[in-house]
Amino acid sequence: MITVTGRPSRPEPTEIARFAVSSIVVVGAGIIGTTIAYELQRRGKTVTLLDKAAPGRGASYGNMASIAVTEFMPASRPGIWAQMPKWLLDPEGPVRIRPGYLPTLVPWFVRFLAASRPSKLRELEAAGAVLCRRVYEDLDALLKETGLGHMLTAEGCLSLYADDAEFKADREHIEILERFGFRHEILGGNALRDLEPVLTTKIGKAVLFPDNRSITDPYRLVVALSERFGRLGGRIVQGDVVDFEQGDAGISALRLADGRTIAADEVVLAAGAFTARLSALLREHIPLETERGYHTQIMEPGISMHHSIIWPARAFMVTPTAGGIRVGGTVEMAGLDAPPDYRRAKILVKRAQEALPDLKVRQVTEWMGHRPALPDTVPVMGPSAKRRNVWYVTGHGHLGLTYAATTGRLMADLITGVEPPVDMKPYRVDRF
């Protein structure tokens, strides 16, 4: 995670000089790992939350703050493949692959293509819809018990279309939502501007997704949840995992880069796009890539918005969050180590101003983060296929915030021996 200016203060990590045996170590203090740690601690487990940075400083810091329950469909679809050559040739297109990284991506793209088979698509759509149907049942419960309900807005998201051709191009999305029963409302231009007067008159049609609500500040949500985890007795440790101590019974400890070790009875690997590096240490391959995403946070936008907006044909999103307006989107495939290219963020702002002609770009920060992307768009959630006391949780892609409360509930069920309310087979780590 990278910011240019305006980094907010962050909570100091808990300092621990010597580590006793911890029942469970959760590696990864983003929204997914923090929610799992909180849920396990709430259920009476002894939990350590471990990350090389403080809670919420990775992808959770800069996501688009959306509870996007309508966005579960697989990214690999025939319609996407038809547009891919055009996108890749366009330097300002919604998908950018750095040429030097392309050979590394070939095995992942082969699996990505395989996920677009019609029979496979239906299976993957159903796996995503099952999770999205549970989102508010689990999220409302989590926010209520932690006293954080005020962080969830009431307004939904508007999907914008300049004309009927753009709407028709996105019709597959609408049809999938209709098939699974997710709420939406088609609006004409006048009705749309009654909801959001700051939108350009060039938008002829929109779809309102009333259940795609937003979080007022996704980073602060992670911090607040980690603080509640700490008050329950959970421990927060900063450290970079470089290896594991293993025995016949599984992992016994985690080795950190600074020489420390943390003993563990069970380990949950929830480090987002970095999880595959940890699984490789255990000789368990996960076909995980990073979709690098960019945002620009505008603290003096000169306009006020009630809803988040997306414009599918322009591949960007705008959300009122974190005290300003956030413009984000795009996919860049360049791996975990390449420096950011902030031209991607500037392209998104330029496109946002097409939809919001009065948007001012004053007092801004730019950010790049790593979304954990699996080729079939369905997250991994479940036990290791090779180590009896290891659990994997990764690959939530664009839906980490959306799935967080549900993931916390399901993983806590699995780890504590409770039968989860959904079939977990579609999310197993060895499905590839």
Side-chain angles (χ1 to χ4, degrees), residues 139-431:
L139 180 61
D140 288 344
L142 176 68
L143 295 179
K144 181 178 180 181
E145 70 194 28
T146 55
L148 299 174
H150 61 282
M151 299 193 77
L152 179 65
T153 68
E155 291 77 20
C157 178
L158 292 162
S159 185
L160 310 180
Y161 308 95
D163 50 36
D164 287 338
E166 285 190 1
F167 180 73
K168 184 178 179 181
D170 202 39
R171 183 64 200 176
E172 180 188 17
H173 180 195
I174 306 302
E175 290 173 351
I176 292 171
L177 299 181
E178 290 171 346
R179 176 155 33 97
F180 286 101
F182 287 88
R183 294 198 299 161
H184 62 282
E185 180 183 356
I186 299 174
L187 304 172
N190 291 336
L192 167 62
R193 276 173 286 280
D194 287 341
L195 290 178
E196 284 293 346
V198 295
L199 285 167
T200 176
T201 57
K202 296 178 182 179
I203 301 298
K205 185 175 293 187
V207 177
L208 171 64
F209 301 126
D211 297 322
N212 283 15
R213 297 155 69 186
S214 301
I215 296 296
T216 56
D217 190 326
Y219 167 67
R220 295 294 175 191
L221 176 63
V222 181
V223 171
L225 193 57
S226 70
E227 290 170 347
R228 283 153 178 78
F229 163 72
R231 288 201 287 270
L232 290 175
R235 299 186 298 179
I236 300 172
V237 178
Q238 277 190 230
D240 190 8
V241 178
V242 294
D243 207 351
F244 300 96
E245 294 181 4
Q246 304 177 58
D248 294 338
I251 290 177
S252 59
L254 299 85
R255 295 178 184 170
L256 306 185
D258 59 9
R260 293 177 296 167
T261 62
I262 301 180
D265 295 326
E266 295 186 83
V267 177
V268 181
L269 298 180
F274 295 86
T275 305
R277 289 184 173 178
L278 298 175
S279 73
L281 297 173
L282 301 173
R283 296 181 175 82
E284 192 158 17
H285 175 68
I286 301 175
L288 188 69
E289 266 298 335
T290 169
E291 290 184 5
R292 295 149 58 100
Y294 292 83
H295 88 215
T296 299
Q297 181 73 25
I298 306 172
M299 300 307 291
E300 294 184 7
I303 61 173
S304 178
M305 298 174 63
H306 302 289
H307 301 76
S308 59
I309 62 170
I310 55 175
W311 193 341
R314 303 289 195 273
F316 72 86
M317 182 174 190
V318 182
T319 308
T321 191
I325 284 178
R326 181 169 295 178
V327 180
T330 196
V331 169
E332 181 187 45
M333 309 296 282
L336 292 167
D337 301 317
D341 179 0
Y342 285 115
R343 290 176 298 179
R344 306 293 297 169
K346 291 174 175 61
I347 290 167
L348 295 170
V349 171
K350 182 173 66 174
R351 292 181 176 171
Q353 288 178 309
E354 294 180 43
L356 303 163
D358 294 327
L359 175 65
K360 304 295 188 297
V361 186
R362 298 183 300 223
Q363 193 182 336
V364 304
T365 59
E366 293 176 322
W367 173 94
M368 186 277 289
H370 297 280
R371 309 181 191 102
L374 289 164
D376 62 4
T377 320
V378 172
V380 162
M381 298 185 290
S384 164
K386 295 186 176 182
R387 301 290 186 278
R388 67 156 190 86
N389 63 340
V390 174
W391 306 83
Y392 290 111
V393 192
T394 189
H396 291 68
H398 296 247
L399 298 178
L401 181 61
T402 302
Y403 286 155
T406 295
T407 297
R409 158 76 189 278
L410 296 176
M411 289 306 301
D413 283 349
L414 287 173
I415 294 167
T416 60
V418 175
E419 184 71 22
V422 303
D423 179 7
M424 297 299 290
K425 289 180 183 177
Y427 318 106
R428 64 191 186 278
V429 69
D430 60 347
R431 68 179 186 263

Side-chain angles (χ1 to χ4, degrees), residues 119-141:
S119 60
K120 188 65 175 178
L121 277 177
R122 290 299 180 99
E123 175 187 324
L124 298 174
E125 289 165 4
V130 164
L131 298 178
C132 281
R133 284 197 183 109
R134 288 198 55 86
V135 161
Y136 281 107
E137 178 181 347
D138 299 316
L139 180 61
D140 288 344

Side-chain angles (χ1 to χ4, degrees), residues 90-121:
D90 181 358
E92 296 190 0
V95 178
R96 181 69 174 163
I97 300 175
R98 294 200 187 180
Y101 195 67
L102 185 57
T104 302
L105 278 176
V106 169
W108 188 91
F109 266 120
V110 169
R111 289 188 169 97
F112 185 72
L113 177 60
S116 66
R117 302 190 312 272
S119 60
K120 188 65 175 178
L121 277 177

Side-chain angles (χ1 to χ4, degrees), residues 78-100:
I80 296 296
W81 281 102
Q83 297 182 73
M84 193 71 75
K86 178 184 68 175
W87 289 347
L88 295 180
L89 291 172
D90 181 358
E92 296 190 0
V95 178
R96 181 69 174 163
I97 300 175
R98 294 200 187 180

